[in-house]
């Protein structure tokens, strides 16, 4: 998955363009920058690549979620539904805008279960955030259809699935908007960085203005200082060096995915020796960004025994049931409502009333599934030696 594996001359040359002018800021410095606008160019190229009308670069995938939710008008009093298997950033952003995260079960796609989503919609629901976890598609068309019936916005958290598609259509373009992360471990990386894509011009304008203190970015004689603003904003601006790296990494994204898909097919073949093994359900195998390979055993106990053997061979797999960053029952700070704020916000009202309580046992289907799933991360360049080790370890594990 990580694009840092292939960081090379292309990235260095793009960076050199910026260092040449010395302009690190995405706006202004008209003459000095010599026509070089890397962040803007990255946005244009990313939007074109995804087939989206607009793209807004920001400082991280987490910032992308916050900017998108804010532009969608989500705030205190609203509920936002996401899934119980995701990275903490998804619900951090929901709490950050003052809304309440509500969690659904995941199904055999390891993403949002549309049937459970229907059950969790209330009069307070404003937005749904399906996550395309571990590189593969959520059942996004079904989710968008449900959202339409209830007049709800859909924000796709595509942080882990840049370049993923369904029948050729890019993930992130099904809902009202889609967010991406380019952090250190994502398929394409800018070190830190994020992007939001949308087909809706007004939504993009709100994002563009909010992410830069409300600046309307309208050309005027006084330059930046003379710009107007129609609402309060914040600062989530991406800098030129990140934009430069993004341009080079984007050009390599399809090749990275193709390499990962090849490795994934080999891993799947290797795991097939385990009797009764099941594989994660893929909405469209051809559009899988193939950053991870997931396989399921019949129960958590057998999963533990198989993984002990894999670990004994030096190739232990990830069991997200034990992972504290991605799996609802392990989010102890969310469950406990831990926060630095004196009032206890966002878990408590300023008056001391509890706003929300989370029970770790409310997602039994997700727990059952996740604790019997094993996962290998797929590098862009898989060393033949490691692949061979995994293959022979899986063979040994086939008998337990
Ligand atoms: C990485 C990630 C994010 C956050 O991205 P950052 O760039 O690290 O802030 C959000 N959602 C998911 C699902 C992620 O994996």
């Amino acid at each position: 998955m990580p694009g840092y594996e292939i960081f090379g001359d292309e990235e260095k040359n793009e960076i050199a363009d910026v260092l040449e002018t010395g302009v690190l800021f995405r706006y202004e410095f008209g003459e000095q920058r010599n026509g070089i606008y890397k962040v803007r160019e990255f946005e244009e190229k990313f939007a074109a690549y995804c087939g989206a009308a607009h793209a807004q670069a920001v400082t991280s995938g987490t910032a992308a979620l916050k900017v998108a939710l804010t532009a969608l008008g989500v705030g205190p009093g609203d509920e936002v539904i996401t899934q119980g298997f995701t990275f903490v950033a998804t619900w951090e952003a929901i709490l950050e805008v003052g809304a309440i995260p509500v969690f659904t079960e995941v199904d055999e796609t390891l993403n949002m279960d549309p049937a459970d989503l229907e059950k969790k919609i209330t009069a307070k629901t404003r937005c749904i955030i399906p996550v395309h976890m571990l590189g593969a598609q959520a059942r996004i068309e079904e989710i968008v259809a449900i959202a339409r019936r209830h007049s709800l916005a859909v924000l796709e958290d595509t942080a882990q699935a840049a370049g993923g598609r369904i029948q050729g259509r890019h993930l992130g373009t099904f809902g009202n908007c889609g967010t991406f992360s380019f952090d250190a471990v994502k398929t394409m990386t800018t070190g830190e960085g994020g992007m939001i894509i949308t087909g809706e011009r007004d939504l993009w304008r709100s994002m563009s203005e909010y992410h830069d203190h409300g600046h309307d970015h309208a050309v005027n004689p006084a330059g930046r200082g003379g710009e107007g603003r129609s609402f309060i904003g914040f600062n989530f601006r991406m800098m030129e060096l990140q934009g430069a790296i993004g341009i080079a990494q984007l050009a390599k994204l399809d090749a990275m995915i193709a390499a990962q898909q090849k490795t994934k097919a080999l891993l799947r073949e290797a795991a097939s020796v385990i009797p009764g093994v099941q594989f994660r359900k893929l909405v469209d195998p051809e559009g899988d960004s193939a950053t991870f390979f997931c396989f399921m055993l019949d129960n958590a106990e057998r999963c533990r025994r198989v993984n002990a053997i894999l670990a004994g061979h030096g190739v232990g797999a990830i069991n997200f049931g034990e992972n504290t960053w991605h799996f609802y029952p392990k989010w102890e700070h969310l469950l406990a409502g831990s926060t630095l704020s004196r009032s206890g916000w966002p878990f408590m009202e300023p008056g001391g009333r509890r706003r929300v309580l989370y029970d770790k046992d409310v997602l039994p289907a997700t727990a059952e599934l996740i604790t019997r799933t094993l996962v290998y991360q797929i590098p862009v360049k898989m060393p033949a030696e490691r692949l061979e080790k995994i293959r022979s370890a899986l063979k040994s594990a086939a008998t337990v």
Side-chain angles (χ1 to χ4, degrees):
M1 132 143 146
Y4 64 69
E5 290 175 67
I6 53 160
F7 190 95
D9 287 343
E10 300 79 7
E11 285 80 358
K12 289 176 194 160
N13 290 337
E14 289 287 342
I15 292 169
D17 288 348
V18 177
L19 297 181
E20 200 66 41
T21 66
V23 179
L24 304 175
F25 189 56
R26 69 164 297 177
Y27 298 112
E28 299 253 296
F29 297 91
E31 266 166 50
Q32 196 186 329
R33 66 192 312 141
N34 218 0
I36 291 173
Y37 288 88
K38 294 294 185 186
V39 175
R40 192 204 290 172
E41 183 184 341
F42 180 34
E43 287 171 340
E44 287 166 3
K45 289 190 162 150
F46 196 83
Y49 170 81
C50 294
H54 309 281
Q56 179 62 52
V58 290
T59 44
S60 71
T62 311
L65 287 162
K66 181 171 182 191
V67 171
L69 283 168
T70 303
L72 286 165
V74 177
D78 297 332
E79 290 177 356
V80 177
I81 303 179
T82 188
Q83 59 201 48
F85 178 52
T86 182
F87 183 55
V88 295
T90 316
W91 53 261
E92 284 173 342
I94 298 168
L95 288 169
E96 182 68 17
V97 299
I100 297 288
V102 173
F103 298 95
T104 72
E105 301 273 22
V106 298
D107 62 18
E108 64 279 17
T109 63
L110 297 185
N111 287 320
M112 184 176 280
D113 175 358
D116 196 43
L117 165 63
E118 288 261 24
K119 291 184 207 153
K120 304 262 157 94
I121 294 172
T122 72
K124 289 186 172 171
T125 309
R126 273 293 296 274
C127 178
I128 304 169
I129 310 186
V131 187
H132 303 290
M133 273 298 277
L134 307 180
Q137 312 94 351
R139 288 157 69 179
I140 190 66
E141 288 164 301
E142 290 161 72
I143 292 165
V144 168
I146 293 168
R148 291 240 166 87
R149 269 208 308 283
H150 295 269
S151 304
L152 299 170
V154 176
L155 189 179
E156 297 173 66
D157 184 342
T158 320
Q160 298 197 5
R165 294 160 222 206
I166 296 174
Q167 259 91 54
R169 180 170 169 188
H170 276 265
L171 301 181
T173 64
F174 290 83
N176 298 78
C177 56
T179 59
F180 296 81
S181 161
F182 310 124
D183 78 19
V185 297
K186 299 304 201 293
T187 312
M188 54 168 291
T189 182
T190 58
E192 298 283 2
M195 190 77 83
I196 312 147
I197 56 172
T198 180
E200 301 170 27
R201 188 175 162 76
D202 288 348
L203 190 58
W204 167 75
R205 279 207 61 85
S206 296
M207 292 170 184
S208 166
E209 292 171 30
Y210 174 71
H211 106 293
D212 182 25
H213 302 297
H215 277 274
D216 67 10
H217 304 136
V219 179
N220 72 81
R224 201 166 154 77
E227 288 178 15
R229 54 196 173 224
S230 36
F231 49 79
I232 60 165
F234 212 70
N235 176 6
F236 293 108
R237 292 185 304 259
M238 180 181 270
M239 69 186 283
E240 287 290 276
L241 291 170
Q242 294 163 297
I245 299 168
I247 292 166
Q249 286 269 302
L250 178 62
K252 299 176 180 182
L253 181 54
D254 282 342
M256 288 195 266
I257 291 173
Q260 289 168 174
Q261 283 189 343
K262 262 193 203 145
T263 301
K264 187 162 180 172
L266 296 173
L267 287 171
R268 188 181 160 117
E269 193 183 289
S272 299
V273 299
I274 298 181
V277 70
Q278 298 160 313
F279 298 108
R280 177 187 193 179
K281 189 178 160 157
L282 294 172
V283 173
D284 175 12
E286 271 180 49
D288 176 17
S289 73
T291 51
F292 288 89
F293 168 61
C294 310
F295 59 105
M296 291 100 167
L297 298 151
D298 21 356
N299 58 59
E301 177 45 36
R302 177 142 179 257
C303 191
R304 255 191 298 278
R305 277 186 281 136
V306 165
N307 206 15
I309 291 174
L310 300 177
H313 283 70
V315 288
I318 305 164
N319 182 336
F320 279 99
E322 289 152 18
N323 178 293
T324 61
W325 290 96
H326 299 83
F327 178 46
Y328 174 83
K330 296 283 186 184
W331 294 328
E332 83 294 342
H333 54 332
L334 174 84
L335 300 175
S338 308
T339 171
L340 282 172
S341 94
R342 220 163 30 85
S343 68
W345 179 267
F347 300 101
M348 312 279 279
E349 300 284 359
R353 196 172 65 89
R354 187 92 187 180
R355 294 175 77 214
V356 58
L357 259 183
Y358 291 104
D359 168 359
K360 76 173 174 43
D361 297 318
V362 294
L363 300 176
T366 301
E368 195 274 337
L369 192 57
I370 295 295
T371 55
R372 63 183 176 87
T373 299
L374 291 178
V375 181
Y376 280 116
Q377 186 179 331
I378 300 177
V380 178
K381 296 178 182 167
M382 173 67 111
E385 197 184 304
R386 176 165 162 87
L387 188 60
E388 212 32 67
K389 256 192 191 171
I390 294 176
R391 199 178 268 138
S392 79
L394 285 165
K395 225 177 252 168
S396 312
T399 53
V400 305

